[in-house]
Amino acid sequence: MHFKKINKAFFWLKRKVILLIAAFMIGMSNVINEEEKMINDNFIKTEQKQEEDAD
């Protein structure tokens, strides 16, 4: 009986730790992806044409 409670608590703790690690890894990959976009200029740019005055 006591072994089942310990086993259940261990699996609950294991699941929470895995969830935290996965969330941390996803967050870090998003940060790395955003930095790479900023460094390599891979994001979409809006181009504007400069109009010249006809004097």
Side-chain angles (χ1 to χ4, degrees):
M1 188 71 166
H2 185 65
F3 180 70
K4 287 183 181 180
K5 285 185 179 181
I6 293 174
N7 201 14
K8 191 174 181 180
F10 174 72
F11 282 121
W12 180 85
L13 183 63
K14 180 181 171 185
R15 191 174 358 175
K16 298 302 177 191
V17 168
I18 289 173
L19 182 66
L20 286 172
I21 291 172
F24 179 75
M25 289 173 69
I26 290 171
M28 287 302 293
S29 69
N30 285 337
V31 168
I32 291 170
N33 187 26
E34 288 297 320
E35 283 183 6
E36 232 173 84
K37 280 183 183 178
M38 197 168 58
I39 291 170
N40 296 329
D41 256 356
N42 289 337
F43 56 89
I44 298 171
K45 293 182 179 178
T46 305
E47 294 184 16
Q48 296 180 350
K49 293 183 180 178
Q50 186 175 2
E51 295 180 10
E52 295 180 11
D53 291 335
D55 287 322

